[in-house]
Each structure stands twice: as C-alpha cells, then as structure tokens.
Amino acid sequence: MAQGQIYNHLKDEKSNYLTQHNTNPVQWYPYGPEALQRAKDEDKPIFLSIGYSSCHWCHVMAHESFEDIVTAEFLNQNFINIKVDKEELPDIDNYYQLACQVMNGRGGWPLSCFLTPDMKPYFMGTYFPKDAQNGIPSFLEVAKNMQMAYENDRENVLVNAEKITEALKQPPTVEHKIEFEGHYPAPMAILNALKNYQDNDFGGYGTEPKFPHFAFYEWAIEHMLEGMVEPDQGNHIIKTIEL
C-alpha cells in the first residue's frame, strides 16, 4: 500500500472489482444507504456504474474516463457516483440491465446508469469512449447532457424515469419498449468504433486475456441477419465465433 495514496469510498470493500477502482479520482461509493441518502440530501442525480473484474471494456472505460481528472471532477461535482460489482449484487445488475434493454433493446457491461436520487433510471447505456468517434458521443458529453437534463428539464426527466420504472414492472417484451429522446448509435457505428481493437489474426477484440462477450456476439448476429452489418465486419464476427 503506497504511502500518501488517496482513496475514494471503496477503500474497505471486499470485492476485487471494487478495489480495482478504489484509487480512481472519481469519488465512488459502494451501493448502500450512505450514497443514497447523500443523493437525496444534495438533490443530485446518481451515476451508477456496474461491471465485473474480468470485463475488458469495463477496464477500458475505467482507464479512459474514470482515471481522467477532468471527467472525475465533473462527476464528483454533479453526481453521486456509485460503483457496483455485478457478481456481488446480481439483483441490482439484473434490474438495471432490464432497464437498459427496455430503453435501448440491449444491455451489457460496463453498464452506465443515470438515475434520479430515488434510483429511478432516466438514461442508460453501456460503454462510452473518452473521445467521440463514429457517431458515438464521449462519456463526458453524455454525463454533461444528463446533468443539464436533470438541472434544466427536470419535469421531463422525472416523467421518463417514471415511465421506465412502470415498464420494468411488466414482462420484458418489445411492446413495452420506451420511446426516449436520446442518442442511440446504429449497429455499424458501434462496430466501426470497435474496429480499432479488432484482432484480425485470432479473432475477437483487444489483447490477451480475452473473454468472449456472448451478449455482444448474439446482438451482432441478430443485426447481421437483418442486413444491418457490412460484410467485412460480419466476416470478423463469424471468424471470432468459429475460433
């Protein structure tokens, strides 16, 4: 343990995933009454980030955004920030994954949740890059837009949050998908963003150790069958699965 090291509120957590983030400049709280009460007392929205220790894109987003001083200062000033290990609190993960699917048609990790102080979701996403690319906004842009929405368009935020919460009480079917004003990138925008990490020799994305993201490949195949994925990207997905 380095002398003079500055820790956030995850310092004494048992989860390996949470301790991986206990020196982030983001002032993370574990999920619990302290963070929830502070959100209510300060009337601040909550940024809830859910992931797990072997998730590649969780680590990418942490390095790009949660270790970035400018991003951390904005989050600390405008949100109460909560980090959850999906393996430690699977019920929390399941609930907000369902919310993400209701809003976007899909979920995944890292899961990025913008919530009212009473934990109702008003915007959901997964990985956002540090810098905007191929139509995908940067994480800081998303966070700023969500803070502005909560500050300046509170009525619509609360209406959206209530609609989503009501939808979550119903079976998760397509009929209950909420139409929501926001930016949701097209399949090729996502795949083009991942192209920089594509391993053309051995399939998949990134470098070792690699962990297959089955939900992502299922999503990709569905869009390939709908003709929404270009051949070169489709061939890479097929090669990855075959390998």
Side-chain angles (χ1 to χ4, degrees):
M1 188 178 296
Q3 282 190 342
Q5 180 66 66
I6 298 175
Y7 293 90
N8 54 43
H9 302 282
L10 302 179
K11 179 182 178 182
D12 297 320
E13 293 300 302
K14 300 291 189 285
S15 158
N16 182 47
Y17 175 66
L18 297 187
T19 58
Q20 288 171 355
H21 294 82
N22 65 12
T23 59
N24 288 168
V26 176
Q27 284 300 306
W28 295 117
Y29 284 86
Y31 176 77
E34 181 181 1
L36 302 183
Q37 189 60 52
R38 183 174 174 188
K40 292 177 181 178
D41 291 345
E42 299 183 16
D43 190 26
K44 285 185 177 180
I46 292 168
F47 172 60
L48 172 68
S49 176
I50 303 177
Y52 58 103
S53 60
S54 59
C55 168
H56 170 73
W57 289 106
C58 297
H59 294 303
V60 172
M61 190 167 175
H63 176 68
E64 291 179 341
S65 295
F66 303 149
E67 295 174 9
D68 177 66
I69 296 296
V70 173
T71 302
E73 287 179 349
F74 183 82
L75 290 176
N76 294 340
Q77 182 176 352
N78 295 286
F79 295 89
I80 300 302
N81 304 292
I82 298 176
K83 178 65 78 172
V84 162
D85 180 347
K86 84 173 187 74
E87 295 173 336
E88 186 176 55
L89 294 173
D91 52 339
I92 298 295
D93 177 57
N94 289 340
Y95 182 83
Y96 290 108
Q97 286 291 344
L98 180 56
C100 193
Q101 291 164 21
V102 166
M103 297 176 72
N104 303 329
R106 57 189 174 272
W109 300 278
L111 189 63
S112 302
C113 317
F114 292 89
L115 316 175
T116 63
D118 56 357
M119 297 291 285
K120 293 180 179 178
Y122 68 95
F123 185 82
M124 308 288 296
T126 53
Y127 165 78
F128 292 99
K130 180 178 181 180
D131 300 307
Q133 48 186 260
N134 299 309
I136 303 177
S138 73
F139 173 69
L140 187 54
E141 288 175 317
V142 172
K144 287 181 176 180
N145 286 336
M146 292 306 101
Q147 187 275 332
M148 288 177 60
Y150 188 79
E151 189 70 24
N152 301 322
D153 196 17
R154 183 79 60 93
E155 183 176 350
N156 283 331
V157 163
L158 297 179
V159 167
N160 276 330
E162 194 61 39
K163 286 182 179 179
I164 297 160
T165 301
E166 288 301 312
L168 293 176
K169 298 176 183 178
Q170 306 299 325
T173 61
V174 175
E175 287 78 11
H176 291 104
K177 183 177 179 181
I178 298 297
E179 292 302 325
F180 186 88
E181 289 188 7
H183 178 90
Y184 303 102
M188 280 308 303
I190 295 173
L191 292 173
N192 284 333
L194 294 177
K195 198 168 185 178
N196 293 331
Y197 302 97
Q198 190 169 297
D199 185 338
N200 294 318
D201 295 323
F202 301 104
Y205 300 89
T207 58
E208 294 182 356
K210 293 180 185 177
F211 297 90
H213 300 278
F214 298 110
F216 166 75
Y217 292 117
E218 181 180 18
W219 167 86
I221 294 242
E222 287 176 357
H223 286 86
M224 288 164 61
L225 293 173
E226 294 175 4
M228 299 176 69
V229 175
E230 294 176 5
D232 62 329
Q233 294 281 25
N235 290 336
H236 181 73
I237 296 295
I238 296 298
K239 177 180 178 180
T240 298
I241 294 172
E242 290 178 342
L243 291 175

